[in-house]
Amino acid sequence: MLPEMQQALRQYADLAVRVGLNLRAGQRLIVRAPLQTAPLVRLIAASAYRAGASLVDVQWRDDELTLIRFQEAPRDSFEQFPSWQAQALLESAERGDAFLSIVADDPDLLKGQDPALVGIAQKTAARQYQPFQRLMARNATNWLVISAPIESWAAKIFPHEPPEQRETRLWEAIFRVCRIGQADPVAAWQAHVERLVATSDYLNHRRYAALKYRAPGTDLTIGLPDGHRWASGRVTSENGIAFIPNMPTEEVFTLPHRGQVSGVVSSTRPLSLDGALIDDFSLTFAEGRVVDVRARSGESHLRRLIETDEGAGRLGEVALVPHSSPIAQSGLLFYNTLFDENAASHLALGRAYRFSLAGGEALSEEQFGQAGGNTSLIHTDFMIGSGQMDVDGVRQDGTVEPLMRAGEWAFEL
């Protein structure tokens, strides 16, 4: 490995631990990562111990084992799950451990596999992880999602590059959008996050009752519940740690009212979902619920996702991202939600984040639903923004104000 690459990897690891997680001395760190990312995981572990971590524990994933299961396992076995894994994560979250997930998946891993079995496996896992995900959804502790190249993913993004250069090209792209290589990556991140915080503060001050979206194939109105909170790339956990959940991050976001979404919205980027690619799709909403689904490819996968449970066909997140974001300007389709959602304004089907509603963490599921929050086993982001999108904010008195024009902010901070 070239010295420059090794230095960039160390910067990336340090940025994740010290800025993203803001790891505290004495905390345990739980890492969930693909086997292929072991070199980065080792650098993260070293950085974490230097920051005072008492223990770094790793849960490894292996795409090949996942594929083997779908190819060879009994067809009636996909409701089985190693429940100890979910229980271990729950116990760690309750203890206040920090969590770092490295997402790096083959977008075509399960292409050609039975979508019904994929849906069963996905739903089974979601049920098992639900208690843990509830804690993460309310930021019970600090957590972070980053990424790293693997061969199959890099080949999907750079199919025309020589095979030996693909992962390097993907590393270069990741470093660029994560501000690695700048003179002071930490200072660059701090300045970037302050801009996001200022934007979310502006939106919280305006107290919009609804948002209206207009773009080719999109004419959508989303109501916002009383007490909604706009959040940015920096949040504070219940145990008092300010952290950045996603690197990269370009969004400000809140929760929509689960019963006040109407109209049609069209995707602007493919959605990579459990090895299937859902492309060129649209969703029609009435009274908050999806009532029609259209997709050029992957429609059956999208329909199964929406049928996961009652809340899966409703929205749990609305996020605004300017079209000038570094990820959009890279011109790359990453086939990875962590990156692609930060290239464009997006929505999420399923579970809403409790902290997006004032007092939401203390509400029961029934009370949260009555206040407009959505509950589901899933939380799946899909991209709708572009340089052709206009967004208006509707005030409580019905006044309409421009928020975005041609994909860019229409106000001055």
Side-chain angles (χ1 to χ4, degrees):
M1 182 179 295
L2 294 175
E4 296 84 358
M5 176 63 76
Q6 189 67 20
Q7 180 183 0
L9 284 172
R10 288 197 183 97
Q11 286 184 333
Y12 191 45
D14 286 342
L15 194 70
V17 170
R18 297 179 179 274
V19 178
L21 284 171
N22 192 14
L23 190 72
R24 297 301 173 89
Q27 264 194 309
R28 297 186 185 191
L29 173 60
I30 311 301
V31 180
R32 306 171 73 192
L35 286 172
Q36 302 99 310
T37 64
L40 175 62
V41 172
R42 295 180 190 119
L43 291 174
I44 288 169
S47 181
Y49 283 125
R50 288 194 297 268
S54 60
L55 176 67
V56 178
D57 189 28
V58 183
Q59 286 190 4
W60 297 105
R61 302 192 309 273
D62 182 11
D63 278 354
E64 289 302 315
L65 283 177
T66 299
L67 180 59
I68 288 169
R69 183 186 186 193
F70 280 94
Q71 291 173 334
E72 306 293 347
R75 303 294 89 178
D76 61 355
S77 69
F78 283 82
E79 291 184 345
Q80 297 185 34
F81 187 86
S83 56
W84 67 268
Q85 292 182 359
Q87 185 61 33
L89 291 178
L90 178 61
E91 291 174 0
S92 294
E94 291 174 339
R95 188 170 49 231
D97 297 348
F99 291 85
L100 188 149
S101 295
I102 300 177
V103 292
D105 302 306
D106 179 353
D108 297 323
L109 179 69
L110 301 181
K111 187 176 182 179
Q113 302 304 311
D114 185 344
L117 294 182
V118 173
I120 291 170
Q122 179 191 48
K123 191 171 184 177
T124 299
R127 284 173 174 162
Q128 291 284 335
Y129 284 120
Q130 188 175 34
F132 167 69
Q133 291 294 350
R134 284 173 178 163
L135 290 182
M136 295 297 98
R138 71 181 212 214
N139 290 333
T141 189
N142 46 329
W143 55 275
L144 172 65
V145 181
I146 63 171
S147 195
I150 60 174
E151 182 180 354
S152 55
W153 179 32
K156 183 74 173 180
I157 301 174
F158 300 107
H160 303 300
E161 294 284 344
E164 66 276 10
Q165 296 180 16
R166 290 169 179 165
E167 289 189 50
T168 298
R169 285 291 310 278
L170 184 49
W171 266 127
E172 290 171 347
I174 291 173
F175 290 154
R176 187 164 52 252
V177 300
C178 287
R179 295 169 171 81
I180 300 296
Q182 297 193 21
D184 188 341
V186 171
W189 264 97
Q190 290 170 339
H192 172 57
V193 170
E194 288 303 324
R195 287 192 294 272
L196 293 177
V197 170
T199 302
S200 63
D201 287 347
Y202 173 89
L203 293 172
N204 281 324
H205 177 72
R206 303 311 291 170
R207 308 306 311 162
Y208 292 119
L211 302 178
K212 289 182 175 292
Y213 294 77
R214 294 183 307 277
T218 293
D219 185 358
L220 187 73
T221 300
I222 298 177
L224 302 177
D226 293 338
H228 71 274
R229 292 171 170 168
W230 287 92
S232 64
R234 184 176 65 204
V235 296
T236 300
S237 67
E238 290 181 355
N239 51 2
I241 301 174
F243 67 101
I244 300 170
N246 292 339
M247 284 184 154
T249 183
E250 303 289 336
E251 66 179 325
V252 293
F253 63 95
T254 190
L255 81 167
H257 193 294
R258 70 187 303 273
Q260 297 179 8
V261 183
S262 61
V264 62
V265 62
S266 295
S267 67
T268 52
R269 287 185 169 231
L271 171 61
S272 181
L273 181 68
D274 293 324
L277 197 65
I278 305 169
D279 196 9
D280 192 17
F281 63 92
S282 66
L283 302 175
T284 302
F285 289 84
E287 297 181 347
R289 182 189 296 277
V290 175
V291 294
D292 189 39
V293 178
R294 303 290 174 89
R296 181 170 59 82
S297 62
E299 184 174 310
S300 62
H301 292 272
L302 184 55
R303 289 184 180 276
R304 282 190 176 84
L305 179 75
I306 290 169
E307 294 167 358
T308 301
D309 55 28
E310 197 280 333
R314 299 180 183 271
L315 295 181
E317 180 186 344
V318 51
L320 298 175
V321 178
H323 186 61
S324 56
S325 80
I327 302 169
Q329 296 308 305
S330 75
L332 295 175
L333 177 61
F334 282 89
Y335 301 95
N336 178 306
T337 300
L338 175 64
F339 292 90
D340 290 332
E341 73 168 1
N342 283 294
S345 293
H346 54 274
L347 305 172
L349 291 164
R351 182 176 58 252
Y353 293 115
R354 293 297 190 97
F355 61 83
S356 296
L357 184 71
E361 297 94 332
L363 299 179
S364 68
E365 285 195 8
E366 182 179 359
Q367 291 170 328
F368 188 58
Q370 290 172 346
N374 195 40
T375 302
S376 175
L377 292 172
I378 70 162
H379 179 96
T380 302
D381 297 283
F382 62 99
M383 285 54 76
I384 64 169
S386 71
Q388 297 176 283
M389 172 163 279
D390 293 340
V391 183
D392 289 329
V394 182
R395 300 291 298 273
Q396 297 288 342
D397 62 3
T399 303
V400 177
E401 300 176 349
L403 272 186
M404 283 186 154
R405 289 294 180 266
E408 300 299 333
W409 295 120
F411 56 86
E412 295 290 337
L413 293 175

